[in-house]
């Protein structure tokens, strides 16, 4: 039938081009499916079910550091504001969300490591790979008070999912987060800790 069908000669002329096109398309599809995970886009913004939460920080490791923080869902993540006092005057202090909402240990070690639901390396928020609980260092004024204004992207406030920060802990460290050392930025002792609790 092919030998006598109309247009057979035209099909034969174009067959090499069609075959080459199909092969190229197949190769491109194969390449697209093997893109390394590190180059994948960031996940969709987390959906928060709570409208507000607080974290009251109490001293740890023999310090006098304490403070009060307010957390609100904002911009596909959670925004944290408030004040922390008793810090080194003019000092710089690491500030993170930690995995476990337990500040009962004297050194706050009960709060576990940094909140890291995506299993990333420690780093600087907004600049490549980092923990979901990583944030920029806090700067204390001459009175030892730091005004907190930090955003945690791709985390949720409430809902109970993997990215939910309610029931986890906020921790302030004695030293500076260098944003490089693993797994916690070589930030030193934990000088304050508070559990995140939804209020509405």
């Amino acid at each position: 039938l092919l030998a006598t069908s109309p247009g057979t000669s035209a099909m034969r002329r174009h067959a090499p081009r069609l075959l080459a096109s199909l092969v190229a398309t197949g190769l491109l599809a194969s390449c697209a499916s093997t893109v390394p995970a590190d180059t994948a886009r960031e996940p969709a913004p987390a959906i928060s079910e709570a409208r507000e939460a607080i974290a009251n920080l109490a001293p740890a490791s023999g310090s006098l550091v304490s403070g009060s923080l307010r957390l609100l869902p904002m911009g596909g993540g959670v925004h944290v504001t408030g004040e922390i006092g008793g810090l080194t005057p003019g000092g710089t202090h690491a500030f993170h969300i930690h995995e476990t909402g337990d500040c009962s240990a004297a050194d706050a070690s009960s709060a576990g490591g940094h909140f890291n639901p995506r299993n990333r390396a420690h780093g600087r928020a907004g600049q490549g790979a980092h923990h979901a609980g990583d944030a920029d260092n806090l700067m204390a004024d001459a009175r030892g008070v730091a005004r907190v204004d930090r955003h945690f992207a791709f985390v949720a406030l409430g809902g109970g999912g993997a990215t939910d920060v309610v029931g986890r802990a906020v921790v302030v460290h004695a030293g500076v987060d260098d944003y490089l050392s693993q797994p916690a930025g070589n930030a030193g002792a934990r000088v304050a800790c508070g559990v995140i609790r939804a209020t509405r």
Side-chain angles (χ1 to χ4, degrees):
L1 288 174
L2 283 175
T4 58
S5 297
T8 300
S9 58
M11 287 175 64
R12 285 177 178 163
R13 283 199 308 273
H14 295 296
R17 289 182 192 170
L18 289 170
L19 182 60
S21 176
L22 289 170
V23 169
T25 302
L27 286 173
L28 286 173
S30 174
C31 290
S33 66
T34 57
V35 174
D38 288 347
T39 62
R41 291 180 300 174
E42 292 286 359
I47 298 174
S48 297
E49 292 188 9
R51 291 186 292 168
E52 184 178 7
I54 60 169
N56 292 316
L57 305 181
S61 303
S63 81
L64 297 176
V65 179
S66 64
S68 182
L69 303 175
R70 183 184 187 209
L71 297 87
L72 297 171
M74 187 183 298
V78 173
H79 202 77
V80 183
T81 56
E83 282 193 359
I84 301 171
L87 298 166
T88 305
T92 305
H93 298 269
F95 176 76
H96 309 116
I97 294 177
H98 282 241
E99 181 71 25
T100 307
D102 181 357
C103 297
S104 61
D107 60 356
S109 58
S110 49
H114 293 177
F115 182 47
N116 188 24
R118 295 163 57 210
N119 196 30
R120 295 288 184 91
H122 174 63
R124 187 170 187 178
Q127 298 187 21
H130 62 278
H131 299 152
D134 288 341
D136 280 359
N137 294 312
L138 299 177
M139 302 289 294
D141 63 18
R143 298 181 298 115
V145 175
R147 287 168 180 80
V148 181
D149 186 8
R150 295 287 182 268
H151 188 77
F152 293 86
F154 307 109
V155 300
L157 197 65
T163 61
D164 184 6
V165 298
V166 171
R168 305 193 188 279
V170 177
V171 173
V172 181
H173 293 260
V176 178
D177 186 339
D178 64 16
Y179 308 126
L180 295 171
S181 301
Q182 302 300 322
N186 196 30
R190 303 174 183 195
V191 293
C193 181
V195 177
I196 299 170
R197 303 186 190 281
T199 54
R200 61 188 180 102

